[in-house]
């Protein structure tokens, strides 16, 4: 007697927490000064105690203006980095400006060429004034001792040092918001319990639920290869089997995918990232979006989908980016399973906090930082010029800085918030999984209990990442057709 | 504060200056005025001041503070063993008692032994960095007069003449009772000649010594009116010579002391005054007899510069809204200072004196005061403690300094209050206050200007604003834009309307103000360093031999005059003191020549052949000088080989007699060559800067000699020389043209017939016809050599550059790519195009620049035309960014009347757009309206037909906020047409038809009348329209008509696209503005005049983004 074959998809309770990234009634009469004030207000208290603890004998000065000469002090402020190589935008939109957020292949090289070098200068600013920083060549002392090259404009830091007679501070140590084990907090119990495993065949082959992280699908891209995309759908729907396909499956069968999270770059439309937007042909721009609409419908009929917009998607540019407008996705929008989310993304899946962006902040940070391994790792073509930090290093920095988009609004288009800085990773916001889309390659790492995931660009790697919701282990699935 | 007064202080150009002192070259024909700026010794006032100082504890300057940045202490030394070397900056003269004994043991006392006698006072800085004042005794003023041939030179005759003159002077001198002797002696000179003419009747002279320089003008009058000479029956009038030389300059020339040079006081020849005997605040106070002082020639070791101390400062005052600050009413609230020492990179002290509390500023000392009186007095103490040699700032001469002095005056009337009289003691003389003098400067180009000249004894006031105006052609002279230009630094302008609010705020607000004030004090100093101003002026003073102060307060002429006098002294020649204005009555002569331009767009290389230093070399080549000008009688005695005839004058050749002007010139030019060589071999940057300053000074000086001879109201005008120079210039130009055009022809075996397409003053533009390549350079080189051979030495035609392509628009108007080598052009050279003037809007500047780039660099005339057409059609369709249409002009004199602030109606005869607008804005909102001295930005809006332009000017912000339609047609016809015609005339056949009229001008934006109060439109009912196709749709049926619903996604994308463009611009512009102003925590308040932070674009993008967002919000979420 044969048992009836049961096949059921894994599931996980889902609670969106992205409300603060959904904006209505946008105003533009205010300037960018408020967001910096609010950021300092929120993050100062994160940095200061860490500095005071490490340097108990130093005097904590509430504001820059109250610093005194020749006294070892701790002062909190926002860092401003002045790169001599920085391409200033004179006359508004220069060519370089257009590449800031670009993910497309052609622009990648340019975009990730760092403007940082050892001659960069840093100043600290708060609402009372500015302070020039002087870095001494000292080895790490306490905590995170950052070097100029590690830092970007917009990071809130506590600085320990002494002001000299010229009014510059000789920096002894720098403390950022930082992260510690346990900061993530516990997962929501009921939601963990609410997860179900996938059953394919018998009870013994139950598989724990996973979240599929994908990015840069570029559906409908002209000249794009639809086959890997189709394989992806087949994988999710479970219709992929036999032959070569077996090697693709990895440990799962597709049925364990409880959610698909698309971290930006779903549309293959290149209109928003290249060329003169003024000359954009709307008819042509609409085509790939229609293809995406069809494509998403195929996935949505199988599984819950979170669709985050990215730099190249048809949404406004400034972060946070709102969700893709329903009028662009008339078909897939019919499915209840499609969630058009903002970018950044914030939600609880299976009781675990997921936080992430479509990758713009990493790309932007990499333009202003350089790797400490510049010399050893530089390839021959680089002539010893500074090398940008890796995407993983950048992602880790955002966690340590406790800020999703530190370089906004300085070099990253950001909405001029007035009452808050929603990008601060506050006490209760430290996620279990922090991800960024649009990366060159897959990388993962655990820092102080936080799982960091660089989600590879599907269009160039044909890879997606599966995050196990029980232990956050990651696995890559590649859809390459040889 | 300085920025607001920029436009009222222009002192450029040649003009007539009326001053109290009679030694200026622009002096009207008043002969009997005081010759020198003699400093009054008002003993009584001084005593009083000194008493007041003691009362206020002048010496109580914080000695602990002083130690850190004060001058080095004087270590005890033996005056009999040590020399003292001083680089002097300022020199003046006072009357005082004669020395009782020469400081040099055994030497006799020189000069008159009966007082009062003139004492020359020199202020400077020793090589050890000590401030020094040297009192030089024994030099007696004198003047020369032509002696008649009949006069018998016997000692008794001379003594009788002295007695006679003494008596006459006694009756002429105003303060005669102070003197016992007036004329100290008459010397008969027969080894000298007048500088005027090849042969001269004046060959013997009386050298008449008098007690005081102030007696020279009466002396001159006596001799001109007629004197009774002993042994002669008739009274004769004697021509005065060199009686117009300022006393200080006289002394310098006779002792061969050059400006800002080093003076050595040899050991044993000088005495040092004890602290108790000191009359000045200088660390060293020395007495010496004039013969003992050694003047060092500025070569080798002595070309160095002493560690001079420079103070740069800025004040802020609290004005009332809508008014200029007035010293009578408005308090000084902050004074920021920065003292630096020459040769030390960082300032030795930075501080700011504030009224009321202020939070500390890192790196800057903050000194707060509770009352304004206290603030001012503390500052004065600081000034004395700093003991600077030079005081600088931006517009300090006409604003900050007079304001402080006037303010102290006003405060002294406040009772009860502290005694303010010590405040004015800024100079180095104890008890002697700074003195202000109003001077008026008149010039054809700039009208009447009032200046204030402040004498601060022993310190040189060097204002950077007039310096910039004189030496650099800029579109704006605000400190902000000047610094942006030269330092690449920008500062945020604190608008004067908020200064008051900041002052009335808390310590932090005042701190913010102080930070700006400190920056304003620091920037002039930086500018000075960056442009090597100090070095250049010191070198100029050394080359021309005049005091540095002459370079600041006087024109070009005194420099040449000084050089001529020095040379004449060596050659035993005397310079006549001609009555002023003798040549003023219109002896106009023909100026420089321009060969008619052949207007065209040349797509073949045009070689430029330049005459190197044309006018100086003509004067050398043809030996043009006062001393070589031959009279008709002279010609009879000369053979024709001995002179060059010219319609404007005949000059003897150098072989017969070398003129002094050619000698001066050849010395200057060979010195320049040496300086250039030294510059190349300079071991360090300092030395390099010194040599560069030197070669520049030499070049400028050489070029000003010609102007000196041609200045009708000058010291020694000689139209024969000036007009002969230009005449030869013309001949040279024509000869060159003829030579080139005759030589380079097909007939002579060259590839093409050459043509001279244009020539101006000292350059000739030649079209050889060859395409771009080494051949052109070869030919040019050859032609320059060939032509040079035609001309006498040292006239040299040089080949330096090729223009290719070359757009010749008119006389003095051309543009081209400049090549100095065959491989790559150097840059685009534009002459006479108003691309940078801010009177034009950005659009004009952009269109001209881009057109030229396209025509000349891209060599794509077609694309230039289509670009211009696109711009015109965008303009007419109202697609132009408003920031590109903003025109800015400042509210100057005359505007007061229109604004109802007083003034005179006759100063405002022609209505001006920006003034009318300012008046209207004042009615709208007096608080935010522009004030006097502000620059008013405006755009021209559509108005009723036939309305005057001035009624159509509007505030760009108002236009943006209210969506007021722009008068695009006006911009086309009044702004673009002229420059475009000029550029395109040589390029296209019919500019009018092809460029300015045509299909692209057909589509014109016509503004929808907006519902303004009272207009007809306020009765119109607005109906909903489809977002896609503008069709009318029923109310409450969404945003799209039935035909557009299916295209919703496309319409959405279209609106989204607009928003993304706006978002990108918004974030870039606003974050860039934060970076430019160096602040992220405070809103950018800059109104962007001349600032890179793009005020209008920022404003506009705020409007744009709002509009785009609203459109996108219409789509149901």
């Amino acid at each position: 007697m044969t048992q009836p074959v049961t096949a059921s998809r894994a599931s996980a309770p889902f609670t969106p927490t992205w409300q603060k990234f959904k904006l209505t009634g946008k105003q533009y009469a205010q300037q960018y000064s408020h967001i910096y004030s609010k950021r300092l207000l929120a993050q100062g208290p994160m940095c200061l105690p860490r500095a005071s603890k490490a340097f108990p004998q130093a005097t904590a000065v509430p504001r820059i203006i109250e610093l005194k000469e020749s006294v070892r002090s701790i002062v909190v402020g926002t860092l401003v980095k002045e790169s001599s190589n920085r391409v200033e935008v004179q006359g508004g939109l220069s060519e370089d400006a257009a590449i800031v957020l670009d993910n497309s292949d052609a622009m990648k090289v340019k975009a990730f060429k760092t403007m940082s070098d050892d001659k960069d200068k840093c100043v600290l600013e708060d609402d009372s004034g500015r302070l020039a920083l002087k870095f001494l060549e000292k080895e790490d002392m306490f905590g995170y001792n950052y070097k100029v090259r590690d830092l970007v404009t917009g990071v809130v830091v506590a600085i320990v040092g002494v002001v000299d007679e010229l009014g510059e501070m000789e920096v002894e140590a720098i403390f950022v918001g930082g992260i510690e084990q346990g900061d993530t907090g516990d997962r929501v119990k009921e939601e963990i319990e609410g997860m179900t495993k996938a059953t394919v065949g018998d009870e013994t082959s139950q598989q724990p639920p996973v979240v599929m992280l994908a990015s840069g699908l570029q559906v409908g891209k002209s000249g794009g290869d639809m086959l890997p995309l189709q394989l992806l759908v087949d994988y999710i729907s479970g219709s992929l089997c036999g032959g070569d396909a077996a090697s693709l499956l990895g440990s799962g069968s597709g049925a364990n995918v409880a959610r698909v999270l698309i971290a930006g770059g779903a549309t293959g439309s290149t209109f928003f990232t290249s060329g003169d937007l003024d000359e954009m042909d709307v008819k042509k721009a609409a085509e790939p979006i229609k293809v995406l609409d069809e494509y998403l419908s195929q996935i949505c009929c199988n599984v819950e989908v979170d669709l985050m917009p990215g730099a190249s998607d048809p949404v406004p540019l400034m972060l946070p980016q709102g969700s893709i407008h329903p009028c662009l996705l008339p078909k897939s929008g019919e499915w209840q399973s499609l969630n058009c989310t903002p970018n950044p993304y914030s939600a609880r899946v299976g009781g675990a906090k997921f936080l992430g962006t479509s990758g713009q902040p990493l790309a932007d940070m990499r333009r202003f930082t350089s790797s400490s391994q510049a010399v050893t790792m530089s390839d021959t073509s680089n002539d010893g010029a500074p090398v940008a930090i890796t995407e993983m290093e950048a992602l880790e920095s955002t966690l340590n800085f406790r800020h999703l988009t530190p370089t906004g609004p300085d070099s990253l288009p950001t909405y001029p918030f007035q009452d808050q800085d929603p990008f601060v990773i506050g006490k209760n916001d430290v996620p279990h999984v922090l991800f960024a889309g649009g990366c060159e390659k897959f990388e993962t790492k655990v820092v102080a209990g936080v799982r960091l995931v660089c989600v590879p660009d599907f269009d160039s790697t044909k890879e997606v990442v599966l995050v196990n919701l029980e232990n956050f282990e990651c696995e890559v699935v590649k859809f390459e057709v040889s | 504060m300085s920025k607001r007064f920029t436009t009222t202080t222009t002192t450029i150009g040649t003009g007539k200056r009326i001053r109290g002192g009679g030694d200026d070259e622009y002096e009207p024909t008043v002969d009997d005025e005081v010759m020198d700026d003699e400093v009054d010794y008002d003993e009584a006032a001084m005593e009083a001041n000194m008493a007041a100082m003691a009362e206020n504890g002048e010496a109580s300057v914080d000695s602990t503070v002083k130690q850190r940045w004060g001058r080095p202490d004087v270590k005890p030394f033996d005056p009999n063993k040590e020399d003292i070397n001083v680089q002097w900056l300022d020199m003046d003269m006072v009357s005082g008692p004669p020395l009782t004994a020469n400081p040099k043991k055994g030497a006799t006392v020189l000069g008159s032994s009966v007082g009062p006698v003139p004492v020359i006072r020199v202020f400077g800085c020793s090589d050890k960095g000590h401030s020094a004042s040297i009192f030089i005794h024994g030099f007696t003023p004198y003047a020369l007069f032509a002696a008649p041939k009949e006069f018998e030179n016997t000692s008794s005759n001379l003594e009788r003449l002295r007695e006679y003159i003494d008596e006459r002077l006694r009756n002429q001198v105003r303060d005669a009772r102070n003197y016992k002797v007036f004329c100290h002696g008459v010397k008969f000179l027969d080894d000298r000649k007048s500088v005027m003419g090849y042969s001269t009747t004046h060959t013997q002279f009386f050298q008449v010594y008098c007690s005081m320089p102030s007696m020279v003008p009466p002396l001159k009058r006596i001799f001109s009116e007629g004197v009774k000479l002993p042994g002669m029956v008739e009274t004769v009038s004697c021509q005065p010579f060199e009686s117009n030389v300022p006393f200080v300059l006289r002394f310098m020339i006779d002792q061969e002391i050059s400006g800002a040079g080093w003076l050595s006081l040899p050991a044993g020849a000088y005495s040092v005054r004890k602290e108790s005997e000191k009359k000045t605040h200088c660390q060293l106070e020395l007495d010496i007899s004039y013969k003992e002082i050694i003047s060092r020639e500025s070569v080798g070791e002595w070309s160095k510069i002493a560690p001079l101390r420079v103070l740069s400062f800025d004040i802020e005052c609290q004005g009332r809204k809508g008014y200029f600050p007035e010293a009578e009413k408005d308090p000084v609230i902050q004074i920021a200072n920065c003292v630096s020492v020459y040769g030390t990179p960082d300032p030795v002290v930075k501080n700011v004196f504030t009224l009321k509390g202020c939070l500390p500023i890192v790196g800057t000392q903050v000194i707060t005061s509770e009352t304004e009186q206290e603030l001012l007095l503390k500052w004065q103490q600081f000034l004395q403690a700093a003991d600077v040699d030079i005081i600088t700032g931006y517009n300090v001469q006409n604003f900050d300094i007079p304001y402080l002095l006037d303010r102290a005056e006003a405060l002294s009337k406040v009772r009860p209050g502290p005694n303010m009289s010590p405040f004015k003691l800024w100079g180095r003389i104890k008890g002697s206050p700074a003195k202000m003098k109003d001077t008026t400067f008149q010039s054809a180009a700039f009208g009447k200007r009032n200046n204030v000249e402040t004498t601060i004894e022993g310190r040189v006031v060097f204002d950077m604003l007039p310096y910039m105006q004189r030496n650099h052609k800029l579109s704006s002279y605000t400190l902000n834009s000047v610094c942006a230009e030269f330092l690449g630094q920008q500062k945020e302008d604190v608008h004067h309307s908020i200064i008051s609010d900041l002052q009335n705020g808390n310590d932090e607000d005042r701190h913010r103000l102080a930070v700006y004030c400190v920056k304003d004090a620091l920037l002039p100093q930086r500018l000075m360093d960056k442009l090597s101003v100090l070095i250049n002026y010191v070198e100029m003073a050394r080359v021309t031999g005049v005091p540095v102060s002459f370079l600041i307060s006087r024109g070009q002429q005194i420099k040449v005059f000084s050089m001529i006098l020095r040379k004449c002294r060596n050659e035993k020649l005397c310079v006549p003191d001609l009555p002023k204005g003798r040549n003023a009555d219109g002896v106009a002569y023909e100026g420089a020549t321009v060969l008619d331009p052949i207007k065209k767009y040349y797509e073949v290389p045009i070689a430029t052949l330049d005459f190197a230093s044309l006018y100086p070399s003509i004067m050398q080549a043809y030996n043009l000088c006062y001393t070589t000008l031959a009279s008709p009688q002279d010609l009879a005695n000369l053979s024709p080989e001995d002179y060059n005839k010219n319609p404007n004058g005949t000059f003897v050749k150098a072989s017969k007699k070398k003129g002094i002007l050619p000698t001066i010139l050849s010395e200057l030019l060979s010195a320049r060559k040496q300086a250039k060589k030294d510059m190349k071999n300079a071991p360090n940057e300092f030395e390099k800067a010194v040599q560069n300053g030197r070669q520049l000074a030499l070049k400028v000086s050489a070029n000003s000699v010609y102007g000196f001879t041609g200045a009708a109201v000058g010291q020694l005008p000689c139209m024969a020389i000036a007009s002969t120079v230009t005449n030869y210039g013309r001949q040279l130009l024509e000869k060159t043209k003829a030579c080139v055009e005759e030589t380079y022809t097909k007939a002579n075996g060259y590839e093409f017939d050459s043509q001279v397409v244009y020539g101006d003053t000292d350059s000739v533009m030649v079209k050889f016809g060859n395409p771009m390549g080494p051949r052109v350079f070869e030919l040019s080189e050859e032609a320059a050599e060939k032509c040079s051979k035609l001309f006498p030495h040292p006239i040299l035609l040089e080949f330096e550059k090729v223009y290719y392509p070359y757009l010749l628009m008119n006389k003095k108007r051309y543009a081209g790519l400049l090549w100095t080598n065959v491989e790559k052009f150097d840059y685009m050279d534009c002459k006479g195009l108003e691309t940078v003037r801010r009177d034009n809007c950005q659009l004009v500047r952009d269109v001209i620049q881009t057109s030229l780039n396209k025509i000349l660099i891209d060599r794509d005339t077609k694309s230039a035309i289509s670009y211009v057409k696109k711009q015109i059609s965008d303009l007419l369709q109202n697609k132009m960014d408003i920031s590109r249409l903003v025109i800015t002009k400042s509210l100057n004199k005359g505007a007061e009347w229109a604004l109802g602030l007083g003034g005179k109606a006759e100063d405002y005869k022609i209505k001006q757009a920006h003034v009318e607008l300012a008046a209207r804005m004042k009615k709208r909102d007096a608080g935010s309206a522009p004030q006097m001295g502000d620059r008013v930005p405006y755009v021209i809006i559509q108005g009723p037909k036939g309305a005057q332009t001035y009624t159509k000017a509007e505030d760009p912000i108002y236009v943006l906020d209210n969506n007021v339609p722009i008068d695009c047609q006006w911009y086309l016809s009044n702004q673009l047409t002229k420059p475009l015609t000029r550029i395109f005339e040589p390029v296209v056949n019919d500019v009018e038809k092809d460029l300015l009229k045509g299909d692209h001008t057909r589509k014109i934006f016509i503004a929808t009348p907006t519902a303004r109060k009272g207009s007809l439109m306020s009765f119109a009912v607005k109906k909903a329209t489809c977002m896609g196709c503008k069709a009318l749709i029923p109310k409450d049926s969404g945003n799209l008509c039935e035909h557009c619903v299916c295209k919703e996604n496309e319409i959405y994308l279209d609106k989204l696209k607009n928003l993304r463009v706006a978002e990108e611009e918004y974030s870039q512009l606003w974050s860039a503005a934060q970076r430019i102003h160096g602040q992220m925590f405070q809103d950018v308040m800059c109104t962007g005049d001349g600032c890179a932070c793009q005020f209008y674009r920022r404003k506009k993008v705020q409007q744009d983004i709002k509009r785009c967002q609203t459109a996108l919000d219409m789509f149901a979420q």
Side-chain angles (χ1 to χ4, degrees), chain B residues 526-539:
Chain B
R526 291 249 170 86
L527 213 51
M528 211 169 177
D529 291 347
K530 174 89 186 192
L531 300 174
S532 315
V533 174
L534 200 57
I535 295 174
N536 291 355
Y537 265 60
V538 163
E539 284 306 321

Side-chain angles (χ1 to χ4, degrees), chain A residues 252-272:
Chain A
S253 64
N256 58 344
V257 177
R259 290 194 87 75
V260 174
L261 199 170
I262 303 175
T267 24
S269 173
T270 53
F271 288 95
F272 286 110

